[in-house]
């Protein structure tokens, strides 16, 4: 059984609406995650276990399982576990790059164990994902996940390249988000079922997820989001809330992001919020979710599958962590 306390709302809404099979399979994914990181030495095990214990919404495994449907079986559970391992790996590495102190309400591996150990823990999680998929003998899934991991790396690199550049516009930002986030959501859906409607659904929902994530970075607070706020500004990441805010308050473009300390970042967050940019970005995310849900109408699904996927899509924008 899934530990309900580890699954934050609104994901609980999906579990509450589902029949028995989904929570049971998510429980198997949790077992698979624990099994995947066991027996790789005490140090790596400790860091990987801390990452796992911090929990998470398990949105990507949920998408795999729901797209595969009740008939999905063992292959879907394996793919759902593998994609969460990749997601965990990217967050451990991302927290090294961002020097982030907090993730999911817990100190990051980088903060507790240092950069080298965090890199190794991320590598372990990454490698175990592919080991698990390869053991299932499904080369299509291995290829899908490998392509998504390449996209993640390209997205992260593009973000570093664009850092501190206030001339970055919306198109470039969206392109980065597609690579950094949406491709993994898209991959989750395709791991569940090869269907062009699900590819588009995953891409739209993934993009919406990143937009909301960038709103939450401005609004915080850490007690609710589980991570430090204002980190995007502090590490020079220009996101849509900032781009939107600068369009109505051009003085924002004159701010030197290099010189920001925590207090200045907080003040800039307030200035962004004052422009109404957060509501505009939230509306964009809602439009993306609506576009994704239209794709669901065109796909051949059991009614429960469509309803639950719709709830996952809604949950991506109705969240505080
Ligand atoms: C979190 O986003 C980070 C990502 C979505 C991608 C991170 C990708 C890498 C570190 C490179 C690829 C790594 C592997 C293992 C393939 P965010 O920084 O916008 O959100 P946050 O506020 O939660 O940190
Ligand atoms: Mg980050």
């Amino acid at each position: 059984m899934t530990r309900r306390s580890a699954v934050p709302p609104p994901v609980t809404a999906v579990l509450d609406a589902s029949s028995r099979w989904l929570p049971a399979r998510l429980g198997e994914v949790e077992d698979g995650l624990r099994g995947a990181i066991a027996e790789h030495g005490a140090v790596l095990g400790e860091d990987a276990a801390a990452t796992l214990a911090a929990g998470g919404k398990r949105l990507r495994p949920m998408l795999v399982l729901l797209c595969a449907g009740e008939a999905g079986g063992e292959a879907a559970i394996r793919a759902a576990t593998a994609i969460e391992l990749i997601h965990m790996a990217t967050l451990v590495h991302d927290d090294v790059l961002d020097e982030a102190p907090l993730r999911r309400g817990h100190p990051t591996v980088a903060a507790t164990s240092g950069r080298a150990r965090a890199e190794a823990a991320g590598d372990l999680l990454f490698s175990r994902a592919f080991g698990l998929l390869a053991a299932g003998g499904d080369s299509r899934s291995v290829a899908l996940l490998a392509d998504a991991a390449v996209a993640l790396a390209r997205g992260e690199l593009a973000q570093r390249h664009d850092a501190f550049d206030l001339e970055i516009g919306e198109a470039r930002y969206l392109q980065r988000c597609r690579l950094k986030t949406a491709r993994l959501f898209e991959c989750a859906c395709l791991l569940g079922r090869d269907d062009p409607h699900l590819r588009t659904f995953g891409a739209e929902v993934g993009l919406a997820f990143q937009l909301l994530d960038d709103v939450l970075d401005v609004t915080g607070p850490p007690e609710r989001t589980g991570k430090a706020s204002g980190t995007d500004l502090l590490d020079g990441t220009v996101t849509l809330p900032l781009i939107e805010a600068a369009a109505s308050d051009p003085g924002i473009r004159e701010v030197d992001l290099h010189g920001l300390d925590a207090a200045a970042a907080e003040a800039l967050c307030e200035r962004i919020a004052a422009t109404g940019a957060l509501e505009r970005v939230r509306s964009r995310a809602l439009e993306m979710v609506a576009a994704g849900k239209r794709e669901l109408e065109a796909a051949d699904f059991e009614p429960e599958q469509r309803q639950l996927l719709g709830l996952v899509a809604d949950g991506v924008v109705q969240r505080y962590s």
Side-chain angles (χ1 to χ4, degrees), residues 90 93-94 98 103 126 149 152-153 156 180 210 213 227:
T90 65
H93 280 179
D94 188 59
D98 292 354
R103 165 83 61 190
F126 186 77
L152 278 161
E156 182 67 28
K180 190 179 78 160
Q210 189 58 51
D213 211 60
K227 51 193 182 182

Side-chain angles (χ1 to χ4, degrees), residues 91 94-95 97-98 100 103 156 159-160 180 213 217 227 231-232 235 237:
L91 295 185
D94 188 59
D95 290 336
L97 296 170
D98 292 354
R103 165 83 61 190
E156 182 67 28
Q159 183 171 300
R160 298 289 141 188
K180 190 179 78 160
D213 211 60
D217 194 83
K227 51 193 182 182
T231 40
D232 285 337
D235 69 17
T237 304

Side-chain angles (χ1 to χ4, degrees), residues 83-277:
I83 201 162
E84 188 66 11
L85 286 167
I86 292 290
H87 175 55
M88 287 163 63
T90 65
L91 295 185
V92 172
H93 280 179
D94 188 59
D95 290 336
V96 170
L97 296 170
D98 292 354
E99 298 178 17
L102 209 61
R103 165 83 61 190
R104 295 170 169 166
H106 296 265
T108 60
V109 180
T112 51
S113 303
R115 183 183 181 108
R117 271 178 61 169
E119 282 175 2
D123 290 347
L124 170 74
L125 295 164
F126 186 77
S127 309
R128 292 298 293 129
F130 285 103
L132 192 66
L133 271 191
D138 179 359
S139 59
R140 173 185 168 270
S141 296
V142 174
L144 277 174
L145 201 59
D147 283 351
V150 171
L152 278 161
R154 286 181 53 205
E156 182 67 28
L157 200 63
Q159 183 171 300
R160 298 289 141 188
H161 179 269
D162 293 349
F164 300 103
D165 185 355
L166 275 160
E167 296 306 313
I168 291 300
E170 183 185 310
R172 170 75 180 177
Y173 163 83
L174 289 175
Q175 183 195 25
R176 251 173 29 205
C177 295
R178 273 188 201 101
L179 290 169
K180 190 179 78 160
T181 308
R183 282 290 302 276
L184 199 60
F185 276 78
E186 191 182 305
C187 176
C189 295
L190 293 175
L191 285 171
R193 190 210 285 190
D194 191 4
D195 179 329
H197 295 297
L198 290 184
R199 179 192 288 277
T200 311
F201 169 76
E204 293 284 356
V205 169
L207 214 47
F209 179 93
Q210 189 58 51
L211 260 62
L212 214 279
D213 211 60
D214 295 339
V215 167
L216 291 177
D217 194 83
V218 177
T219 54
E223 308 83 63
R224 212 166 54 170
T225 63
K227 51 193 182 182
S229 53
T231 40
D232 285 337
L233 293 175
L234 287 168
D235 69 17
T237 304
V238 176
T239 63
L240 195 54
L242 182 58
I243 295 167
E244 272 288 329
S248 45
D249 177 357
I252 287 180
R253 248 191 228 103
E254 309 308 318
V255 175
D256 179 9
L257 294 179
H258 284 99
L260 292 185
D261 58 15
E266 200 181 315
L268 186 50
C269 284
E270 280 166 20
R271 190 166 171 185
I272 291 169
T275 66

